[in-house]
Amino acid sequence: MKLNRLLHKDPIIEKVLWLTIIAASGFFLNNLINSYILRQSNTLTSETKNLLAKKELGISLHSRITEVKSGFLEMIINQDKRAVYFINKRIDKNLTEVDKILQVLSKGGYYAQNLPVNFYNSNYISDTIFYEPLKKSAYNIEIIDITPKIIELNRLSRLLAQYKINHFTDTGFSKTYENQIKGLYKEAETYLQRAIENSNRIFYDSQQEYQTIRKKREEHIASINYFQILWLFGISAATLVFLVFIIRRIIQMVDSRNEVKEELLKKQWAIEKILDAIPVGFIIFDNNYKVIRVNKEAVHLFGAAHEKNILDQTCKQLFINQDANICPFVTGSESIIYNELSINTFLGQSRDVIKNATIIEIDGKKAVLETFIDITKRKEIEKQLIQAKEAAVMATQEKSKFLASMSHEIRTPLNGIIGMLSLLQKTTLNEKQKDFLDVIQVSSTNLASIINDILDFSKIEAGLIQLDYHNFDFISEILNNLKVLQLKAEEKGIQLTLEIDHLVPRFVIADSMRIKQVFINLVSNAIKFTDDGSVHIAINFSAELQLIRVEVIDTGIGISKDRLHSIFGAFAQSDSSITRTYGGTGLGLTISKELVELMGGQIGVTSELLRGSRFWFELPVKTGSEPIQNILDSETLEMPGKNVKILIAEDNIINQKVAKAMFHKFGFAVDIANNGLEAVELYEKNQYDMIFMDLQMPVMDGLTATKKIFELAKLMNHQIFITAMTANAMKEDKQKCQDIGMQHFLSKPYNSENIEEALNKYHTRGSR
């Protein structure tokens, strides 16, 4: 399959390739057989040479032993003392050569000898014989038998020479020496005879083996020649048969291919008709950047009268006055190019299209197929949708700004109401006045809650909510919030219970303010809509998923099934009469849902009318750690000394009176600045220790005034503590105050406790 893919599944090329593979296999097999035959021949030749060398060594051995025998005879009959000495030397030399020959025959190796070239031995040639014993043979016994005899002959030769020389010099013992000489010769003759017999046996054995291996080699060569003839004939016949078969198949395939070609031409004509009918324009460029094919949709798209107006034009001519990168040949990339662009037609119009350029191959040459989809109408619709979306976003932003502005305007007088109520509650009142005051207090608190809900909803719509993840005591936060909610439950005579699983971590990393907001919202709703029975809170934790789950279960009025799907919608109540009966804006659950989802969690409800409800939410959190306890946190903070100079920058007269009264209650005298400019001038004159700065004031706003005061404090090397007071309760407003250096932030409406907190914070900073 891989081979077919490589050859584009061409059967003719495939057959030729198989023929080539078979021929190559036959050639390889033939070489392999020839190599094996050659190795066999070389082995036989090597054995022949080795046996011939063995034969030559046998001849040399026999010749040397014969010379030793002749030397012994010469030594016996010679009466010249000097001649006897040299004859003994010659015998020793021949015996040494015999020992060398025996070593080569036994262990293998080289033996070099000098051979005479004439009868008189006047000239010699050097001959070297190499022999390697292949296996243990019978002649090894003769070699073992000859070796000790050579040693004895050497000894006898020296003794015989010694006796002969003594015989010449000591005439008194001539008879004794003569007998000893005869005895030594007789002993030497025995050894010589045995050595000659063994050397003859080596020679004749070598001769016989040599004849045998020579005959075997000749028979082997004859069989090789016969096999090669048969092999060549067989492989030639098989190749010829296969070649005939392949040629026949190729002829059949060529005929079949011609038929397929005719069929392809018919299909190509049908495809071209289809391409002209499809609503997508396409153009094909050759490797010279010229148009070689175009369909009717492309002709219509470019506003040409006929396809001839487009054919043979280059890419740059076709896309004149366009970006140079519109032509795919500029980058030379073979990847698919996807691009949205606007093209100019022949009629001078502009059309938005989606262009795809793909590198293809035609007749073995690279080309580029470009397709064009007209999206002019779609672009017009998208433009209208974008404009509508921008208008909607702008309207939402304007609404958010309006709500924030209205919130500020409402909070300013509300601050005066709540502030005065806080002061009024600390005066001597009769029971009826206290009841009236409580009603006003509850109404103002509800009004502040409604304003907060509207402001949160507007911030969510505008996408201005930002989360503040930090480490905090989750269980303590829940218990503290529950204290306030417990009072509401007791007022209605219902039971409020809490169950916290032991797996719930005490410290977690999350946005404590937003979790508190959702928790209080769900529990407050449960208490509000439960007239009899109980509200139960269950908190669990999944260590594996790192999820905290909070469930609020009540026995209240419940929610009908047809209203459950819309309960988290904006301004939604399960029944219109509920708003009249229980009050509320209908934004609490919407805000809770948005906050939970913003924190990556889920919120849901199961309920049945008149049988209560079960609200729940799950939040992903990270387990936190217990913070290091600050020594100052455990101490009771004291108010700063009464000699602290305080300035209040506030343009609203009522709020000025409220602030004066609150500070007077704590025993502090304060000065008032009606705008930011007055605050700067008064600070330069009196160098106040604390300034409570409203942000929105005429003449000069609070942020600008704060910057100028900090500049003056730096020049005068004076420390100043500035607290922001504003009806803008958005987080970004607080961030602006922190960015310019304000140390504290009070959101209107504020009360005496908030003022006390600011004074304590100033005192804490001073003590550090």
Side-chain angles (χ1 to χ4, degrees):
M1 293 300 292
K2 292 182 178 179
L3 185 61
N4 283 340
R5 286 197 296 271
L6 179 65
L7 301 175
H8 305 289
K9 297 185 179 179
D10 192 327
I12 295 176
I13 297 178
E14 185 179 356
K15 295 292 186 297
V16 173
L17 181 61
W18 279 116
L19 178 62
T20 305
I21 291 172
I22 292 173
S25 300
F27 178 76
F28 174 75
L29 186 60
N30 183 61
N31 287 341
L32 191 65
I33 293 172
N34 287 335
S35 176
Y36 172 75
I37 292 171
L38 182 60
R39 286 199 303 272
Q40 293 294 322
S41 299
N42 291 338
T43 302
L44 290 172
T45 302
S46 177
E47 290 179 4
T48 304
K49 289 181 179 180
N50 205 46
L51 287 172
L52 186 60
K54 178 181 172 184
K55 176 183 173 183
E56 294 292 332
L57 289 171
I59 294 171
S60 297
L61 180 63
H62 183 270
S63 174
R64 293 293 182 179
I65 294 174
T66 303
E67 288 185 13
V68 170
K69 184 176 181 181
S70 300
F72 269 93
L73 288 174
E74 289 181 18
M75 193 183 295
I76 291 295
I77 63 176
N78 204 309
Q79 299 301 318
D80 185 2
K81 179 179 178 181
R82 182 177 177 81
V84 169
Y85 174 78
F86 282 108
I87 291 170
N88 182 53
K89 287 293 185 182
R90 190 170 74 244
I91 290 171
D92 286 345
K93 181 178 180 183
N94 285 321
L95 288 174
T96 301
E97 295 298 319
V98 168
D99 184 62
K100 290 181 179 177
I101 294 170
L102 291 175
Q103 290 293 330
V104 172
L105 284 170
S106 176
K107 299 179 181 178
Y110 292 91
Y111 174 68
Q113 61 181 350
N114 293 324
L115 301 176
V117 297
N118 53 36
F119 182 77
Y120 301 101
N121 294 335
S122 58
N123 293 314
Y124 295 88
I125 60 173
S126 178
D127 181 29
T128 302
I129 302 171
F130 173 75
Y131 174 71
E132 181 179 358
L134 300 177
K135 59 183 179 178
K136 187 174 182 181
S137 302
Y139 66 82
N140 287 337
I141 298 173
E142 280 69 36
I143 295 172
I144 295 170
D145 189 47
I146 290 173
T147 302
K149 292 174 176 56
I150 297 303
I151 296 172
E152 286 299 318
L153 286 172
N154 201 350
R155 181 180 66 80
L156 291 173
S157 172
R158 289 195 298 271
L159 286 174
L160 186 59
Q162 184 179 356
Y163 286 146
K164 286 287 290 183
I165 293 170
N166 289 337
H167 176 71
F168 294 145
T169 57
D170 191 356
T171 56
F173 298 95
S174 59
K175 189 67 177 178
T176 303
Y177 284 133
E178 184 178 349
N179 291 332
Q180 289 178 344
I181 289 169
K182 287 179 181 180
L184 288 172
Y185 177 74
K186 188 174 181 180
E187 185 179 356
E189 188 179 18
T190 303
Y191 289 136
L192 287 168
Q193 186 62 35
R194 186 65 182 270
I196 289 171
E197 289 175 358
N198 287 334
S199 65
N200 286 336
R201 187 172 180 181
I202 292 172
F203 170 76
Y204 288 119
D205 287 348
S206 301
Q207 179 70 15
Q208 189 176 357
E209 289 180 9
Y210 174 73
Q211 293 298 332
T212 302
I213 199 69
R214 183 177 180 183
K215 185 178 179 181
K216 183 178 178 182
R217 181 172 178 272
E218 290 174 354
E219 292 174 354
H220 180 70
I221 292 172
S223 64
I224 287 172
N225 292 334
Y226 179 72
F227 174 78
Q228 283 183 327
I229 292 171
L230 289 178
W231 166 255
L232 290 174
F233 177 78
I235 195 68
S236 300
T239 304
L240 183 61
V241 170
F242 189 76
L243 183 61
V244 171
F245 172 75
I246 291 295
I247 292 173
R248 183 181 176 187
R249 288 293 299 158
I250 289 174
I251 292 172
Q252 292 175 351
M253 290 176 185
V254 169
D255 293 338
S256 176
R257 180 169 291 184
N258 289 334
E259 294 176 1
V260 172
K261 188 175 181 180
E262 292 178 3
E263 187 67 24
L264 287 175
L265 288 173
K266 293 179 182 178
K267 291 183 178 180
Q268 183 179 357
W269 179 83
I271 291 172
E272 288 183 354
K273 291 295 183 183
I274 294 172
L275 291 175
D276 282 336
I278 60 175
V280 176
F282 79 84
I283 297 174
I284 299 177
F285 296 91
D286 64 8
N287 56 359
N288 293 320
Y289 314 154
K290 288 187 178 181
V291 179
I292 59 174
R293 182 70 174 89
V294 61
N295 71 341
K296 289 184 179 179
E297 180 64 22
V299 173
H300 171 71
L301 185 64
F302 280 88
H306 195 272
E307 65 179 26
K308 293 180 180 179
N309 300 114
I310 299 178
L311 290 174
D312 293 332
Q313 290 204 39
T314 64
C315 177
K316 292 183 178 179
Q317 289 173 338
L318 186 63
F319 296 106
I320 192 169
N321 297 327
Q322 300 288 337
D323 184 1
N325 292 325
I326 195 173
C327 293
F329 310 101
V330 174
T331 60
S333 173
E334 295 190 9
S335 59
I336 295 175
I337 303 166
Y338 178 86
N339 192 17
E340 286 190 15
L341 66 150
S342 180
I343 62 171
N344 299 321
T345 68
F346 285 82
L347 301 176
Q349 299 174 337
S350 177
R351 287 185 177 274
D352 294 315
V353 297
I354 294 176
K355 184 185 79 142
N356 285 285
T358 308
I359 305 295
I360 61 174
E361 191 172 296
I362 299 177
D363 297 331
K365 297 180 180 179
K366 285 188 178 181
V368 177
L369 170 64
E370 291 195 353
T371 59
F372 300 88
I373 301 175
D374 191 353
I375 57 170
T376 305
K377 291 183 179 179
R378 193 187 82 181
K379 280 290 186 180
E380 291 177 357
I381 295 172
E382 286 180 357
K383 187 176 180 181
Q384 292 173 1
L385 289 174
I386 290 172
Q387 290 175 348
K389 180 183 177 182
E390 290 176 351
V393 171
M394 189 176 296
T396 301
Q397 291 176 347
E398 290 298 325
K399 182 183 73 174
S400 298
K401 291 179 181 178
F402 171 75
L403 289 174
S405 178
M406 289 301 298
S407 171
H408 177 270
E409 295 301 325
I410 295 172
R411 283 173 185 273
T412 299
L414 187 61
N415 182 65
I417 295 171
I418 293 176
M420 284 298 183
L421 286 173
S422 176
L423 294 172
L424 189 59
Q425 280 181 329
K426 300 192 181 333
T427 61
T428 303
L429 301 170
N430 58 39
E431 291 298 324
K432 193 172 185 178
Q433 288 173 330
K434 286 182 179 179
D435 290 340
F436 291 162
L437 194 60
D438 289 340
V439 172
I440 298 172
Q441 183 73 41
V442 171
S443 299
S444 60
T445 303
N446 290 338
L447 180 59
S449 177
I450 291 171
I451 293 171
N452 288 334
D453 283 349
I454 294 173
L455 187 61
D456 280 343
F457 180 71
S458 66
K459 286 194 288 184
I460 289 171
E461 274 194 326
L464 299 176
I465 291 288
Q466 293 182 350
L467 300 178
D468 179 21
Y469 288 95
H470 58 278
N471 184 60
F472 69 98
D473 190 336
F474 174 76
I475 294 177
S476 296
E477 189 75 24
I478 293 295
L479 294 175
N480 291 336
N481 293 329
L482 209 62
K483 291 178 182 178
V484 179
L485 297 168
Q486 182 70 41
L487 295 175
K488 292 183 179 181
E490 290 175 357
E491 288 176 1
K492 295 192 68 174
I494 61 176
Q495 186 179 8
L496 180 63
T497 59
L498 173 67
E499 178 186 357
I500 300 178
D501 188 75
H502 69 281
L503 295 177
V504 177
R506 179 179 176 184
F507 293 93
V508 298
I509 298 174
D511 189 329
S512 60
M513 185 183 76
R514 297 304 176 184
I515 293 177
K516 170 185 174 182
Q517 189 174 352
V518 175
F519 177 78
I520 291 177
N521 201 322
L522 295 185
V523 178
S524 296
N525 277 353
I527 295 172
K528 181 168 67 172
F529 295 116
T530 301
D531 294 325
D532 187 24
S534 65
V535 174
H536 178 67
I537 304 164
I539 303 176
N540 296 285
F541 179 71
S542 171
E544 182 180 356
L545 302 176
Q546 292 287 292
L547 280 177
I548 283 182
R549 180 181 177 91
V550 179
E551 294 186 359
V552 180
I553 307 156
D554 65 64
T555 59
I557 61 175
I559 306 168
S560 61
K561 291 183 179 180
D562 59 330
R563 294 281 184 177
L564 277 176
H565 68 280
S566 61
I567 194 66
F568 290 104
F571 308 103
Q573 295 278 17
S574 61
D575 195 320
S576 58
S577 62
I578 291 176
T579 305
R580 295 190 299 271
T581 304
Y582 295 97
T585 61
L587 290 176
L589 290 178
T590 303
I591 294 170
S592 296
K593 179 177 183 295
E594 294 290 342
L595 291 176
V596 168
E597 291 179 352
L598 189 63
M599 289 185 285
Q602 293 179 327
I603 190 170
V605 60
T606 56
S607 183
E608 203 173 329
L609 193 62
L610 303 178
R611 289 177 180 254
S613 303
R614 179 191 294 264
F615 282 86
W616 59 269
F617 68 91
E618 291 179 341
L619 289 176
V621 298
K622 292 183 179 179
T623 304
S625 58
E626 184 174 359
I628 299 173
Q629 186 70 23
N630 195 326
I631 297 174
L632 292 173
D633 293 341
S634 60
E635 297 177 354
T636 302
L637 297 176
E638 298 179 0
M639 297 289 286
K642 301 301 184 288
N643 59 344
V644 174
K645 293 191 290 184
I646 301 174
L647 174 67
I648 298 175
E650 171 67 69
D651 64 311
N652 186 277
I653 296 175
I654 294 175
N655 285 335
Q656 289 177 1
K657 291 181 179 180
V658 170
K660 273 187 176 182
M662 286 184 178
F663 279 101
H664 180 71
K665 172 190 165 187
F666 292 116
F668 291 97
V670 297
D671 292 335
I672 300 294
N674 295 301
N675 54 60
L677 182 59
E678 282 188 22
V680 174
E681 292 173 349
L682 287 172
Y683 174 75
E684 187 176 11
K685 181 179 178 181
N686 299 319
Q687 297 183 14
Y688 295 98
D689 299 308
M690 294 184 70
I691 298 178
F692 289 80
M693 181 74 72
D694 188 20
L695 297 186
Q696 291 189 5
M697 292 184 292
V699 184
M700 182 183 290
D701 63 88
L703 291 176
T704 305
T706 299
K707 291 178 183 177
K708 291 185 175 297
I709 289 172
F710 277 133
E711 290 174 1
L712 289 172
K714 187 176 181 181
L715 291 174
M716 294 184 291
N717 195 21
H718 179 255
Q719 289 189 351
I720 179 68
F721 187 92
I722 301 180
T723 298
M725 295 192 309
T726 178
N728 294 336
M730 291 188 176
K731 186 176 180 180
E732 54 269 25
D733 295 320
K734 185 175 181 180
Q735 187 62 47
K736 288 179 182 178
C737 297
Q738 292 176 348
D739 290 342
I740 65 170
M742 288 186 171
Q743 293 94 333
H744 195 53
F745 187 92
L746 287 182
S747 178
K748 296 178 181 178
Y750 55 82
N751 52 33
S752 300
E753 287 76 13
N754 301 135
I755 296 295
E756 185 178 4
E757 180 185 354
L759 292 170
N760 283 333
K761 189 169 184 180
Y762 167 77
H763 177 68
T764 301
R765 191 206 67 155
S767 63
R768 292 179 185 175

